[in-house]
Amino acid sequence: MNNFREENLIKKTKKAAGFFIKNAANISYLTGVLFPYPESFPFRPGLLIVPSKKVRLLVLPLEWKGQPEAAGWEGETVYYSINDGKPDESFIRVALEYLKKANISLDSLALDLQSWTANEFSLLQKMAGDCALIDCSETLSLLRMIKDDEELGKLREAAVIGDRGIIGALNHVEGTIGSSYYTASEFLERVRVHAIEFGSHGIGFLNLSQGANNRFWYSPIEDFRLIEEGDLLGVDYSHQFSGYWNQCSRMLSVGEPDADCKQSYRNNLCLMKYAIERIRPQQKISDFCHQISQKADEMDVNLLAAGGFGSGVGLSEVEWPLVTFDNHNPFLPGMVLTLNLAAADRRGMIFRSVETIVINESGAERISNFKTWDEMYILDGVRSNH
């Protein structure tokens, strides 16, 4: 639990008499309480804060009973069940009933409005009566954009686990047999399993692009297709450690890669190092994006940059800031980014890497540094047992 974060939110939202936070990542940021896969869960959490009355209330589905206590939550908690009505109605009604029973009336309530559906907002308007509703979404996003030491420690650990998941899978696959006996789906499953064995608390997306499919950002795994010599493997996955996310993307070669392949890999590596070296606090993000694009043109690299070069990362997989050409805001010390660079070679094959970096007072530091990956990893022979 981190009361300092809550105090900052209250200080920066002066017009609000209370706060009603719905987004699970925002709630975790303010309370330290984590929830199991909240994006996939049909019920809604809620956090009600009334500073003047010292109210700090979590409204949770009954299925999450015990989570607040396990996290050391010192406020109150009320639970609701499926018998209490629709998910988008129950958490609102329970929170407002609490205020009514406590004889607390509010003239204003701040919401993380970007996380509320139109139906939820409409229901709240009807139930809250004359209470003015204020949007504090941007304030929360700005606060979460700058990581404190506790958050940075978890992001560093997540970045290390990301690489260890891939390396663990490689350690199982490599051996002395000349032809492959591993399917692509089995290899990807080993990435997932090893990330968890090394400490990951949850997996997001998983993707492996092989051979001709490496011309696409993401590609479906065809059952029983083997890892084949001569193919490129693009491994992409995300996972979280104590709620803090990491995105890992690495390129591998099955057997000795050809000269074009090696050069394309080096180009990507060169661009990534150039990008990390160019980041400076107070530098406009848009200017940085144009520098990377210009460098790619000088190198005659077909940079795939339409969506920008990454984003912030934390309790959500994508956070502020967005590293895009139209973002004229500056880099700031304390930001943690997943820097994502991808380029297509003359055959249309995509070479991509993602690095997690933290911005400090003088520049940027790569924290996804468990392995350098300075040369393309060559998978030379596999074994048929676990």
Side-chain angles (χ1 to χ4, degrees), residues 5-17:
R5 298 173 192 168
E6 183 181 299
E7 291 166 5
N8 272 344
L9 175 63
I10 295 168
K11 189 185 303 180
K12 292 179 180 295
T13 319
K14 297 177 181 177
K15 294 181 180 179

Side-chain angles (χ1 to χ4, degrees), residues 157 203 249 273:
E157 185 65 25
I203 304 297
S249 179
K273 288 184 175 180

Side-chain angles (χ1 to χ4, degrees), residues 334-356:
M335 287 180 173
V336 177
L337 312 174
T338 48
L339 203 57
N340 189 337
L341 299 184
D345 69 5
R346 59 185 179 81
R347 298 167 294 185
M349 305 297 286
I350 294 176
F351 287 76
R352 178 165 59 171
S353 62
V354 174
E355 300 292 356
T356 308

Side-chain angles (χ1 to χ4, degrees), residues 169 173 180-192 206-211 213 219-228 231-235 252 254 379 382:
V173 174
S180 177
Y181 293 94
Y182 264 78
T183 63
S185 56
E186 172 69 4
F187 177 81
L188 196 56
E189 171 65 3
R190 295 205 178 281
V191 173
R192 184 190 70 82
L206 275 167
N207 183 79
L208 187 148
S209 298
Q210 178 180 2
N213 281 340
S219 55
I221 295 292
E222 299 173 8
D223 288 343
F224 308 118
R225 180 177 180 186
L226 295 174
I227 299 291
E228 296 176 358
D231 273 352
L232 286 173
L233 300 182
V235 183
L252 316 168
V254 186
L379 186 60
V382 298

